[in-house]
Amino acid sequence: MVRRSAAPQGVQLDIGDLGTPLGAVSFVVLDLETTGTSATNSRITEVGAVRVRDGEVVEEFTTLVDPGILIPAEITLLTGITQSMVATAPPMEEVLPEVIAFLTAEADTALVAHNAPFDVGFLKAACERHGAEWPAPPVVDTLRLARAVLPQGQTRNHRLGTLAAFFGSPVTPNHRALDDARATVTVLNGLIDRLTPLGVGSLEELRAVSKPPTRAQRAKRHLAEGLPERPGVYVFTDARGGDLYVGKSNNLRRRVASYFTAAENRQRIREMAGVVEGVTPIVCATELEASVRELRIIAERKPPYNRRSRNPERARWVTLTTETYPRLSVVSTVKDDGAPYIGPYGSASEAEQAKEALLHALPLRQCTHRLTVEGDGTVPCVLAQLGRCGAPCDGTEPLADYLAHAEAARTAMAGDPAVVVDAHTARISELAAHLRYEEAAALRDRLTAFLRGARRAQRLAAIAAVPHLVATRRGPTGWDTSVVRHGRLAAGAVLEPGVEPAAFLRALVATAETVEPAVGPLPSALPAETELILTWLDDPATRLVEIEGEWTCPLRAAEAHTEMTHWAYGRATAQ
């Protein structure tokens, strides 16, 4: 194996950059030769890699690999690699650590390949085969980039040989790993040269490129000029001053500029570029303040090009009614009635799933008419005959017994969810043992919907009960400090170096918003805002400065099942 090094070149980083500047990225351009096209059944015969920084070659790596299997004749004809050539080469278990070390030798490294899924697939398969951990670097695919940047007809096709000739590569691809990697370097540099004038300046933007910016996007790039490089919220407006889209960023200028580059590939945002005429920046002291203000503005103004957070009023909750014989109900508002609530849920269907989870565990009535203590003489329904309801309608079940079920539901919703978890896990295990996986999956979805709503409600109620809290965390320019009252962000500021902390804290608290408690267990803010605050407070780097009252959650709360609720959230947002 051969490694060649060039003198490293220093790069001055800009702390205000959005993402990793391309000049700071160490690109490892890699190519593999293999015995076939299947990462499972074929093996690697040669590795070639070139490290490139700021357009210049820094280091090269190449080696033949003993695949441990015969090389097909057609592969030998294509690559020129024969069985005798690899007979004395090191096996993949010896080469793999060298390849991984080359990939991870420098920070901010990205893997580049032409038709990258092929090469990455083989390397991942090799790692799995030999018990190595795949480092999972960010990947740039020059084939995908070329298809996005070079319109049809500008090149005959997007094969490596065609692109290498188009960009004037001094090396002609020949199906040998190092030469093909060298040719890919020229292609990568050529594509970056074309994208840089279009506003693509970071690795993240480069990876996001799917097609060139539209003419309307290019015409609106001037809207980012003069914007501050500070955290905050930006509001895109039309010619009449109407709000089109609201977002937030740690760097307003760079984020707004990215909307008018090839990195912006969302169709609705590209359409918005045709009507946007202005952008209003709202500078915020901290990242948390920017996130909160974004939510508040979207909920208030409902800009047409925002999809998320536009309609918080559509949230649903599951509650236990306050009737003589309580029942479960899906509602859109929370009342100060002493009843337990779980949620909020983004849809009525998810709330119904949580309700069904409680009904699976507890025989609460599902009829909606009001019952008296004596019952109303109604003939018991099918659910009662199946043992899923105590039939209080005909007086079969004494009130005290029924209220015991209701109290168990209250405990599961506001405290320990064990009765629901145990009932579901037992039934899921039983169904799985009988290979009834679809039914088991349906129960699992009900359980996770319930746990997610219970966890959210318990966390929201806990912070809503705290009248005053101050916390801080180290930020880019000092200590980002926030005042939270009844779950609402009341103030935020940065304690900069040299400022006297006690005086800063007194001034921040004195000027913070006065916040009154909300109805029932609700925080005095949008639940989404309070959840942002809770996530910020949960960070180990956040330090509690002062607090009034108690901030506690039940000992055996739904929080104990965080792994399952997070899985449910990830599944829901992926759909």
Side-chain angles (χ1 to χ4, degrees), residues 210-222:
S210 63
K211 51 188 174 182
T214 64
R215 180 177 299 177
Q217 282 180 289
R218 293 195 299 270
K220 302 298 173 62
R221 275 185 282 172
H222 67 278

Side-chain angles (χ1 to χ4, degrees), residues 157-227:
N157 53 53
H158 297 103
R159 294 175 181 170
L160 180 58
T162 303
L163 294 173
F166 179 82
F167 286 113
S169 171
V171 179
T172 301
N174 56 8
H175 293 291
R176 292 301 300 270
L178 185 57
D179 281 347
D180 284 8
R182 288 168 171 167
T184 305
V185 169
T186 301
V187 173
L188 174 67
N189 289 339
L191 292 170
I192 289 176
D193 287 343
R194 291 209 163 200
L195 287 167
T196 300
L198 301 180
V200 176
S202 70
L203 173 61
E204 290 74 15
E205 291 172 327
L206 182 68
R207 297 181 67 214
V209 170
S210 63
K211 51 188 174 182
T214 64
R215 180 177 299 177
Q217 282 180 289
R218 293 195 299 270
K220 302 298 173 62
R221 275 185 282 172
H222 67 278
L223 294 177
E225 296 175 2
L227 294 181

Side-chain angles (χ1 to χ4, degrees), residues 188-349:
L188 174 67
N189 289 339
L191 292 170
I192 289 176
D193 287 343
R194 291 209 163 200
L195 287 167
T196 300
L198 301 180
V200 176
S202 70
L203 173 61
E204 290 74 15
E205 291 172 327
L206 182 68
R207 297 181 67 214
V209 170
S210 63
K211 51 188 174 182
T214 64
R215 180 177 299 177
Q217 282 180 289
R218 293 195 299 270
K220 302 298 173 62
R221 275 185 282 172
H222 67 278
L223 294 177
E225 296 175 2
L227 294 181
E229 295 199 36
R230 297 275 305 280
V233 176
Y234 51 91
V235 182
F236 286 118
T237 56
D238 58 21
R240 296 179 297 176
D243 299 325
L244 296 172
Y245 182 84
V246 178
K248 57 94 178 176
S249 175
N250 298 336
N251 186 311
L252 287 169
R253 184 179 67 80
R254 292 185 178 276
R255 183 66 185 104
V256 170
S258 72
Y259 283 87
F260 309 110
T261 71
E264 180 51 71
N265 52 35
R266 292 171 292 177
Q267 184 58 38
R268 70 184 190 284
I269 301 300
R270 285 177 168 242
E271 292 174 359
M272 183 190 71
V275 294
V276 64
E277 292 294 336
V279 56
T280 302
I282 304 172
V283 175
C284 299
T286 66
E287 297 177 19
L288 177 61
E289 181 188 348
S291 298
V292 166
R293 285 187 177 275
E294 177 196 29
L295 278 176
R296 292 179 184 176
I297 294 172
I298 292 173
E300 176 188 349
R301 305 182 188 180
K302 300 184 181 353
Y305 286 93
N306 283 93
R307 288 184 176 176
R308 294 186 179 182
S309 308
R310 285 183 57 192
N311 299 293
E313 66 278 2
R314 295 181 183 176
R316 295 292 183 269
W317 301 75
V318 178
T319 187
L320 188 68
T321 65
T322 57
E323 302 170 74
T324 304
Y325 287 91
R327 59 186 176 84
L328 295 171
S329 179
V330 175
V331 298
S332 58
T333 57
V334 174
K335 299 179 181 179
D336 191 11
D337 54 6
Y341 290 82
I342 61 172
Y345 292 101
S347 67
S349 61

Side-chain angles (χ1 to χ4, degrees), residues 294-495:
E294 177 196 29
L295 278 176
R296 292 179 184 176
I297 294 172
I298 292 173
E300 176 188 349
R301 305 182 188 180
K302 300 184 181 353
Y305 286 93
N306 283 93
R307 288 184 176 176
R308 294 186 179 182
S309 308
R310 285 183 57 192
N311 299 293
E313 66 278 2
R314 295 181 183 176
R316 295 292 183 269
W317 301 75
V318 178
T319 187
L320 188 68
T321 65
T322 57
E323 302 170 74
T324 304
Y325 287 91
R327 59 186 176 84
L328 295 171
S329 179
V330 175
V331 298
S332 58
T333 57
V334 174
K335 299 179 181 179
D336 191 11
D337 54 6
Y341 290 82
I342 61 172
Y345 292 101
S347 67
S349 61
E350 190 181 8
E352 287 290 345
Q353 280 192 312
K355 175 182 168 183
E356 289 296 325
L358 280 159
L359 291 172
H360 174 82
L362 297 164
L364 297 173
R365 69 184 183 98
Q366 299 185 42
C367 53
T368 58
H369 52 280
R370 290 190 173 275
L371 300 178
T372 64
V373 176
E374 297 79 13
D376 62 1
T378 303
V379 177
C381 63
V382 175
L383 291 174
Q385 297 174 32
L386 293 174
R388 294 182 58 189
C389 179
C393 54
D394 69 348
T396 299
E397 184 174 53
L399 176 61
D401 292 348
Y402 185 84
L403 291 181
H405 301 318
E407 186 59 29
R410 174 185 289 273
T411 299
M413 297 168 73
D416 185 356
V419 64
V420 179
V421 173
D422 293 345
H424 280 75
T425 53
R427 182 57 177 161
I428 289 170
S429 297
E430 181 183 336
L431 291 170
H434 291 85
L435 308 183
R436 294 161 65 181
Y437 298 121
E438 290 186 2
E439 294 175 69
L443 279 181
R444 176 203 61 197
D445 291 345
R446 290 180 185 176
L447 175 59
T448 51
F450 163 75
L451 286 173
R452 183 182 170 210
R455 176 180 181 269
R456 294 183 74 183
Q458 291 168 7
R459 283 165 54 83
L460 291 173
I463 193 67
V466 178
H468 175 78
L469 177 152
V470 181
T472 189
R473 186 169 74 191
R474 187 181 292 278
T477 60
W479 288 89
D480 294 353
T481 308
S482 298
V483 178
V484 179
R485 292 173 175 170
H486 295 295
R488 180 181 178 87
L489 182 65
V494 178
L495 173 60

